[in-house]
Amino acid sequence: MARLEQVLLLEPEHELKFKGPFTDVVTTTLTLTNPSDRKVYFKVKTTAPRRYCVRPNSGVLDSGASVDVSVMLQPFDYDPNEKSKHKFMVQSLMAPDNVTDMEGVWKEAKPEELMDSKLRCVFELPSENEKTHDVDQNKITSTSASKSESSSLFKSASSTLDDSEVKKILEECKRLQAEVQRLRDENKQIKEDEGLRMRRSAPMTGSPSGGANAALVKEEGPTTRLLALAVLFLILGVIIGKLAL
């Protein structure tokens, strides 16, 4: 006796397509619809059960109801010769009235009561252009993420300084700048005083004391400059230390 025609509507009808690369789980959806006026039991089977995870793989559909079945292909090394071996079958059975034991119904069902549809698996590998596009897209995404992260870090560092801390830093800078200016003025005054004293004692330039005074003037200039540089470094250290905190 010929089997009954499949009562369920399948979408897609004949092929389940999986698009690689197959280095991660690839999922496709099979939609089952019951257009009849009775409940229908269904099962989804495959010739390669270790390669696929199917959810749900069985159940019951009320009249007019639909269900989306997720077919998840597990990662594997793609072999072109293996693609024709993978097939799926959707098996269905009209649910008897007033029966709740679905497994019992399946076990007692006669072959002529079963309806089935077969689907083959199609593996599609991305073209070289698609691969290049994916790589470029990943680079763009990575660059955008890096910029966003840098911006976030900058904002985070800025937000750690409230108005009072900024005000304290500016006041400290002003105070240190004033100290540097005072040292410069003192250095300038010392040079002017020493110059005046040297001009007054010009006839005695050949004496040992004259040479000592000249050496003293030469030493005071560099010493003051070093002190000014030290103060500037101190300013930078204070600012950097506040930012680090």
Side-chain angles (χ1 to χ4, degrees), residues 108-164:
E108 296 176 3
K110 298 177 182 179
E112 60 268 18
E113 294 177 333
L114 300 176
M115 298 166 281
D116 59 59
S117 299
K118 295 180 180 178
L119 301 94
R120 67 188 186 94
C121 297
V122 177
F123 299 154
E124 297 178 347
L125 287 174
S127 63
E128 291 298 324
N129 290 337
E130 289 177 326
K131 289 181 181 179
T132 303
H133 175 73
D134 290 342
V135 171
D136 293 341
Q137 191 66 31
N138 289 337
K139 288 182 179 179
I140 293 173
T141 304
S142 177
T143 302
S144 301
S146 298
K147 290 182 179 179
S148 176
E149 184 177 355
S150 298
S151 177
S152 299
L153 289 174
F154 177 76
K155 290 179 180 179
S156 176
S158 300
S159 63
T160 57
L161 293 176
D162 57 22
D163 293 339
S164 61

Side-chain angles (χ1 to χ4, degrees), residues 192-207:
E192 290 177 354
D193 293 344
E194 289 298 328
L196 180 60
R197 187 169 60 186
M198 290 292 293
R199 285 194 296 273
R200 288 177 179 176
S201 60
M204 300 176 61
T205 53
S207 64

Side-chain angles (χ1 to χ4, degrees), residues 6-8 10 30 32 40-46 54-61 67 69 71 88-94 101-109 114-119:
Q6 176 65 268
V7 66
L8 298 179
L10 281 63
L30 171 65
L32 306 179
V40 176
Y41 295 154
F42 72 89
K43 283 186 176 182
V44 182
K45 301 179 179 181
T46 177
V54 182
R55 293 289 184 275
N57 60 3
S58 64
V60 58
L61 279 173
V67 63
V69 178
V71 182
F88 275 80
M89 181 173 70
V90 177
Q91 205 168 46
S92 60
L93 174 66
M94 287 293 184
D101 184 10
M102 185 171 60
E103 287 302 320
V105 173
W106 279 109
K107 290 178 181 179
E108 296 176 3
L114 300 176
M115 298 166 281
D116 59 59
S117 299
K118 295 180 180 178
L119 301 94

Side-chain angles (χ1 to χ4, degrees), residues 21-54:
F22 305 104
T23 55
D24 201 353
V25 175
V26 181
T27 302
T28 191
T29 301
L30 171 65
T31 302
L32 306 179
T33 303
N34 177 15
S36 71
D37 56 357
R38 294 178 56 185
K39 286 185 178 181
V40 176
Y41 295 154
F42 72 89
K43 283 186 176 182
V44 182
K45 301 179 179 181
T46 177
T47 56
R50 294 184 179 180
R51 291 291 181 84
Y52 299 90
C53 181
V54 182

